[in-house]
Amino acid sequence: MFQQAPPTLGNQYEDDSLLRSYLERNVPADTLREIEPALAEMGRLAGGDLYQMQLADRLNEPVLTQWDAWGNRVDRIELTALWRAAEKIAAEHGVVAAAYEQKHGRFSRVHQCALAYLFTPSTDIYSCPLAMTDGAARTLLGSGNQSLIERAVPHLTSRDPQEFWTAGQWMTELTGGSDVATSETIAKPDLTQNSEGETRNWRLYGRKWFTSAVSSQIALTLARPEGNPPGGRGLALFYLELRDEHGRLRNFTIDRLKDKLGTRKVPTAELTLDGTPAQLVLGTTDGVRNITPVLNLTRLWNGISAVSLMRRVVALALDYAHKRSAFGALLSEKPLHLDTLAGLQAETEGAFHLAFMVAELTGRAETKEIDEEQSALLRLLTPLMKLTTGKQAVAVVSEALEAFGGAGYVEDTGLPQLLRDAQVLPIWEGTTNVLALDALRALGTDDRALKALNAEVSRCLGSVHDQRFAEPRRVVQMALAHAESWLAAAREAGTPKLEAGARRFALTLGRAMELALICRHAQWLLENGGDVRAISAARRFAASGIDLITLTDSLPGAVQH
Ligand SMILES: Cc1cc2nc3c(=O)[nH]c(=O)nc-3n(C[C@H](O)[C@H](O)[C@H](O)COP(=O)(O)OP(=O)(O)OC[C@H]3O[C@@H](n4cnc5c(N)ncnc54)[C@H](O)[C@@H]3O)c2cc1C
């Protein structure tokens, strides 16, 4: 009787020619030699033990116990076995720490992102707490608050699982996740704890509506010190530790865990803060501005997670194509099936290059090896990358499920969950629209960031000589020229026109940048004996919709409903 072999994964580093060739092109050879064993080990885990653990843990979810048998409020969260293992592996392999140990200078961030990219898809989004942990470490280090730095950063960046802490980011309230300036949480000075006059401690009162990974040890949050004005400026950034020395929550309750479409291993909670002790991170105002370093890093992690999920479904679909027959031949021999998979691969490559470009620039910023043009580029590419890759992840994972036929729709293959998990990527850490508007802000008044993007694209295209890149080159140039002319006309037409077209404008910039990066890498591969299929990827990507600015965007008049 016929028995279908399931798709399997090999070493996820060794099998990933894109990651390996990217590192070879971008990272100095001696650095690559130093980091490669750790990447190969993570690749082994991600395609081996951790992947098997993930499949075995599929039906388990975190459990919130609010009361003990004797009527005490306990609000305990039991994580699943996969997440407990993931936390230990993340610490031991330095998935946060690698960026802070700075063993490889500005390449430390690329190293860390490569680890995260390999690790994430086998952990059911354990990247969520790690992203916030990374963001908290960076924010505290930049705050100059020495006592908080000494207290928390060694834990957040530890490789010892016993010492390792994760952090939450409690921003979203019922009033808004995008518009956090409307937050209602109030901070009152804690006079009883401070007899010396200076108010160091505060107590927070309010409701936090989405708090992921509430199993963490610390959180950064926003609250309005009593008497402060409304709006984002009136909010302050606070640090808090969730539990006291007896393991009890410090004056807040976990009201319930969200019942979500995906990311079901992530304990995302609704909280009521009722006098929760907290400390100011820096200053009693400007909390929204001061929490920006968290957002920049969680957006980078979001992009890396998006690429990692794309890579995972493509790896599984490719393997399956070599195991599944239809109409007398393997799927891997069917031209139309191969064409479908090649389209998914091209999208994955574009997203990969853009996400890792942001990683590279972030690494430069962290080691202060960044010039003005690169800073402007990083500011613009962060929202563009997050919004572009988030959309690509949902489309790629959705299409890839079809490559398994009915099996892609069946839960115990582990495949449908990838689509549900991918669907969060365009929503959290800034929705597509909110980031498109942020990209407009990033352009500034002098369009320095757009000039920086154009300059980077020109450098990419300038390095491309093979004639087969002529069409992709033309597509990039036309798309950017159209984006610029649209921007000028929309500015002229006024804010409603500009905002209405912002998403298509941002996606056009994001996809054009991706195509230029694919071309640069493909040219390098050609010159270095690499995979010539990268040229096909560039040509295919060029034909898959780069310029998304439509005729309606150029029409005069009001926004249509
Ligand atoms: C699984 C999950 C986990 C989360 N974890 C956390 C967490 O740990 N910490 C945390 O703080 N938050 C968390 N969030 C919340 C998340 O960040 C917010 O849901 C998100 O930022 C959107 O905010 P909102 O839900 O209030 O939607 P809204 O802001 O109400 O947005 C609704 C729609 O309006 C659009 N929109 C909003 N403003 C504009 C505008 N100016 N122009 C055009 N369109 C606009 C948005 O794009 C969106 O489509 C989590 C969310 C999810 C789903």
Side-chain angles (χ1 to χ4, degrees):
M1 218 163 33
F2 175 75
Q3 182 63 51
Q4 179 60 50
T8 51
L9 295 172
N11 183 312
Q12 288 301 280
Y13 175 69
E14 283 165 10
D15 289 354
D16 193 333
S17 61
L18 176 60
L19 172 63
R20 289 173 59 197
S21 61
Y22 162 81
L23 292 173
E24 205 184 323
R25 181 170 68 78
N26 283 281
V27 174
D30 51 345
T31 303
L32 185 53
R33 260 195 307 280
E34 283 167 28
I35 67 177
E36 207 158 30
L39 295 176
E41 173 57 13
M42 186 59 89
R44 187 191 65 75
L45 278 170
D49 297 349
L50 197 52
Y51 178 49
Q52 292 309 322
M53 216 183 294
Q54 179 185 35
L55 294 176
D57 200 55
R58 189 179 61 81
L59 293 174
N60 300 326
E61 295 187 358
V63 175
L64 168 64
T65 304
Q66 288 174 311
W67 303 95
D68 74 4
W70 308 104
N72 297 303
R73 185 81 195 231
V74 288
D75 287 357
R76 231 182 1 246
I77 291 178
E78 190 69 26
L79 297 174
T80 78
L82 176 70
W83 261 46
R84 290 198 301 273
E87 178 169 318
K88 186 165 180 289
I89 291 170
E92 285 171 349
H93 289 74
V95 183
V96 174
Y100 293 87
E101 293 161 345
Q102 285 293 316
K103 286 191 188 146
H104 312 291
R106 68 186 166 90
F107 299 103
S108 302
R109 185 54 78 178
V110 170
H111 173 207
Q112 183 228 16
C113 284
L115 282 170
Y117 162 81
L118 294 167
F119 171 80
T120 296
S122 298
T123 64
D124 293 354
I125 315 292
Y126 194 75
S127 50
C128 168
L130 296 183
M132 296 189 290
T133 303
D134 194 347
R138 176 57 57 212
T139 303
L140 292 176
L141 282 170
S143 73
N145 186 327
Q146 215 45 44
S147 70
L148 288 185
I149 293 173
E150 282 165 23
R151 167 88 184 138
V153 173
H155 289 290
L156 300 173
T157 59
S158 174
R159 280 186 185 248
D160 177 354
Q162 301 303 321
E163 292 294 316
F164 183 54
W165 286 0
T166 57
Q169 155 204 339
W170 301 356
M171 294 176 70
T172 304
E173 299 195 2
L174 273 96
T175 48
S178 313
D179 188 7
V180 287
T182 54
S183 293
E184 293 177 323
T185 298
I186 294 292
K188 299 185 183 186
D190 185 2
L191 299 173
T192 53
Q193 283 194 18
N194 189 349
S195 52
E196 285 118 45
E198 191 193 1
T199 303
R200 284 241 175 89
N201 293 305
W202 296 73
R203 293 209 176 245
L204 309 186
Y205 299 84
R207 284 174 82 187
K208 294 290 173 183
W209 191 233
F210 274 92
T211 58
S212 283
V214 76
S215 47
S216 62
Q217 284 79 7
I218 69 157
L220 295 184
T221 191
L222 297 176
R224 194 176 310 280
E226 256 185 337
N228 268 18
R233 275 217 65 207
L235 292 169
L237 177 58
F238 286 91
Y239 164 97
L240 61 89
E241 293 181 8
L242 275 67
R243 293 181 185 271
D244 66 17
E245 58 280 14
H246 307 293
R248 285 183 301 244
L249 290 178
R250 293 177 194 262
N251 296 15
F252 71 91
T253 51
I254 302 177
D255 301 331
R256 61 175 172 163
L257 296 184
K258 300 276 195 195
D259 184 6
K260 296 171 290 176
L261 173 70
T263 67
R264 293 191 67 94
K265 293 277 195 298
V266 182
T268 304
E270 296 168 13
L271 308 177
T272 299
L273 315 186
D274 186 18
T276 312
Q279 294 176 52
L280 282 169
V281 176
L282 71 163
T284 53
T285 58
D286 294 304
V288 175
R289 193 181 68 200
N290 291 335
I291 206 166
T292 306
V294 178
L295 300 182
N296 288 338
L297 280 178
T298 53
R299 287 169 185 170
L300 171 58
W301 273 84
N302 203 88
I304 297 292
S305 300
V307 185
S308 78
L309 291 187
M310 289 185 242
R311 153 75 185 146
R312 170 58 51 92
V313 279
V314 171
L316 288 168
L318 264 176
D319 184 71
Y320 192 62
H322 287 93
K323 291 176 172 160
R324 178 76 174 165
S325 296
F327 301 100
L330 287 171
L331 293 177
S332 59
E333 292 159 22
K334 300 284 182 193
L336 181 52
H337 194 72
L338 285 179
D339 183 83
T340 309
L341 295 184
L344 300 178
Q345 176 66 22
E347 288 293 320
T348 305
E349 289 189 19
F352 176 97
H353 288 300
L354 186 54
F356 273 87
M357 166 128 212
V358 173
E360 268 170 69
L361 289 168
T362 302
R364 282 185 175 279
E366 288 170 333
T367 53
K368 308 220 175 346
E369 291 172 76
I370 193 161
D371 61 27
E372 261 188 49
E373 184 184 285
Q374 289 163 332
S375 288
L377 185 61
L378 176 59
R379 170 68 185 91
L380 177 58
L381 285 188
T382 299
L384 290 183
M385 180 277 293
K386 194 279 183 183
L387 71 89
T388 308
T389 58
K391 285 293 184 201
Q392 287 174 298
V394 177
V396 165
V397 177
S398 173
E399 181 65 58
L401 294 198
E402 196 179 324
F404 299 90
Y409 204 68
V410 171
E411 291 290 353
D412 56 2
T413 61
L415 294 164
Q417 181 189 311
L418 293 171
L419 179 58
R420 289 196 296 267
D421 287 353
Q423 184 65 64
V424 85
L425 297 167
I427 297 176
W428 65 11
E429 309 307 347
T431 61
T432 308
N433 283 0
V434 164
L435 290 174
L437 296 176
D438 186 50
L440 285 183
R441 276 192 299 279
L443 299 178
T445 46
D446 55 2
D447 283 344
R448 196 170 353 146
L450 193 54
K451 287 178 196 141
L453 185 143
N454 273 318
E456 185 62 25
V457 165
S458 296
R459 278 190 290 274
C460 289
L461 297 182
S463 69
V464 165
H465 313 299
D466 193 280
Q467 258 317 97
R468 286 168 288 180
F469 292 115
E471 179 59 11
R473 178 204 301 272
R474 193 191 64 80
V475 168
V476 173
Q477 287 166 337
M478 297 280 291
L480 289 182
H482 191 194
E484 271 194 72
S485 64
W486 174 81
L487 182 65
R491 280 175 170 161
E492 193 87 344
T495 304
K497 198 80 195 167
L498 190 62
E499 286 198 8
R503 176 201 279 244
R504 286 180 290 273
F505 170 73
L507 283 166
T508 299
L509 294 187
R511 291 183 68 79
M513 185 76 235
E514 287 189 0
L515 178 53
L517 293 169
I518 295 177
C519 289
R520 178 171 69 182
H521 191 65
Q523 176 72 44
W524 179 87
L525 283 170
L526 270 188
E527 290 163 10
N528 290 275
D531 192 345
V532 290
R533 280 176 302 183
I535 299 181
S536 317
R539 290 159 64 93
R540 187 177 288 276
F541 195 77
S544 66
I546 303 301
D547 181 357
L548 301 179
I549 297 170
T550 60
L551 190 61
T552 354
D553 293 319
S554 308
L555 291 176
V559 178
Q560 301 297 313
H561 295 284

